Amino acid sequence: MFDVMIIGGGPSGLSAALVLGRARRSVLVIDNEQARNFVVQSSHGFLTRDAISPKELRHLAKKELKKYKTVQFCQGTARNLQQSHSNFLVEVGNLEFSAKKVIVASGLKEQLPNINGLKDLYGKYVFSCPYCDGWEFRDQKLTVIGNGNKLIEYVKLIRQWSKEIVLLTGGPRTFTSKDYEELTHRRIPIMEEEISGFSRERNDLQITLSNGVVITCDAAFLLKTNAIQHLILPEQLQVKLKKNGSYETSLHGQTIQKGLYIIGDAAKRFTGLVGAASEGYEAGVHVNKELVDEEW
Ligand SMILES: Cc1cc2nc3c(=O)[nH]c(=O)nc-3n(C[C@H](O)[C@H](O)[C@H](O)COP(=O)(O)OP(=O)(O)OC[C@H]3O[C@@H](n4cnc5c(N)ncnc54)[C@H](O)[C@@H]3O)c2cc1C
């Protein structure tokens, strides 16, 4: 029996493992290496590690964790998380593990629209987070892809990195006429045709519309990637998904189920690397405190 099982070995899970391992808790980190950011070559904004590859960041974190004999790793997919009395059980392949507390740090996975070429170019020339990838395309030709009432705020944001923007709605626009006026007032071209394909030609990203028009740009920013949970918790644990697809949690990632915590993107949709690491630290401290109190 472990003190704590952590499902997910991304920045949130590994950071929780570090603080708990150092607090002399026996920790098992279960991970299946399918992180959403593995599509990018380099990730940005993590202090002291700007432009590091996502895999290298994990490699360095694991190297540090290996110093702590209190932390163990299991490669595989955690399934059937259950509560049994006051403990938790989980299956990985044909193994079963138990722990007093569980931290779910399993992140999200994208559900990109099914458009030719998009999957291959996502993370290379098509992105969603300008804080992560905007700098590399500053003052270049950008295409923003999106629709609906959240679009205007996204366009405003992307313009911080480049004013040379074309907007593709992928179908009839669904935002207000006020938003439309604001966009056209800033001379942002808006095209409402469906998008039929993405390709890379020479040094350009090309986006083909259903009427045959081809938009040539340096990169595109996609408002919605329709990310969903990697790990769907069994109903018996009674942790609800919110409308936006993240799990309901309160302070420090605590859920309605005592001893079960959810942190990182699984709880907040997009914490960023440093935010995820911070959540892991905070949850780790809280889980240790809960155990300390129970053992007193
Ligand atoms: C394309 C892209 C680029 C990004 N670039 C940046 C950037 O430059 N800077 C930045 O700060 N943020 C960036 N982000 C955001 C960042 O990747 C996430 O916010 C961060 O990784 C969240 O950390 P996490 O630990 O919550 O989840 P993740 O890093 O997603 O880790 C979750 C882990 O859990 C594992 N897992 C899931 N289910 C199971 C299961 N059942 N059993 C075992 N393991 C499981 C997954 O395989 C994964 O390894 C980017 C995101 C994307 C999609």
Side-chain angles (χ1 to χ4, degrees), residues 84-100:
S84 160
H85 306 290
S86 57
N87 300 321
F88 293 89
L89 302 173
V90 85
E91 290 167 18
V92 182
N94 50 14
L95 301 173
E96 188 177 75
F97 298 103
S98 61
K100 295 173 193 160

Side-chain angles (χ1 to χ4, degrees), residues 90-129:
V90 85
E91 290 167 18
V92 182
N94 50 14
L95 301 173
E96 188 177 75
F97 298 103
S98 61
K100 295 173 193 160
K101 310 283 172 196
V102 170
I103 298 178
V104 171
S106 46
L108 300 181
K109 56 182 173 186
E110 317 307 325
Q111 300 278 92
L112 295 173
N114 190 11
I115 303 175
N116 265 344
L118 175 58
K119 207 169 159 217
D120 291 340
L121 292 169
Y122 183 70
K124 296 183 181 76
Y125 299 97
V126 183
F127 307 95
S128 52
C129 162

Side-chain angles (χ1 to χ4, degrees), residues 7-12 30-37 39-40 43-44 58 76-78 105-107 110 122 132 230-231 264-265 270-273 276:
I7 303 177
S12 63
I30 305 166
D31 187 66
N32 62 9
E33 297 278 333
Q34 290 172 14
R36 66 191 305 198
N37 65 344
V39 293
V40 295
S43 42
H44 302 94
R58 284 171 177 232
T77 300
S106 46
E110 317 307 325
Y122 183 70
C132 307
H230 254 300
L231 178 70
D265 283 6
F270 203 101
T271 45
L273 299 170

Side-chain angles (χ1 to χ4, degrees), residues 185-235:
H185 176 70
R186 285 168 182 81
R187 297 205 167 84
I188 297 174
I190 304 172
M191 299 186 189
E192 301 188 34
E193 287 74 22
E194 272 184 31
I195 299 169
S196 49
F198 290 78
S199 61
R200 181 93 180 132
E201 302 295 335
R202 298 208 181 99
N203 287 329
D204 294 321
L205 172 66
Q206 296 203 332
I207 306 173
T208 307
L209 305 183
S210 56
N211 60 359
V213 169
V214 177
I215 309 296
T216 299
C217 56
D218 294 295
F221 281 84
L222 185 61
L223 172 63
K224 279 194 183 161
T225 63
N226 305 319
I228 57 166
Q229 291 290 338
H230 254 300
L231 178 70
I232 298 296
L233 292 171
E235 260 177 40

Side-chain angles (χ1 to χ4, degrees), residues 146-165:
N147 210 342
N149 57 8
K150 297 216 166 117
L151 179 68
I152 188 89
E153 289 304 317
Y154 193 57
V155 173
K156 268 160 91 175
L157 194 62
I158 302 292
R159 265 172 51 100
Q160 172 60 18
W161 282 271
S162 176
K163 301 280 184 284
E164 220 178 319
I165 288 180

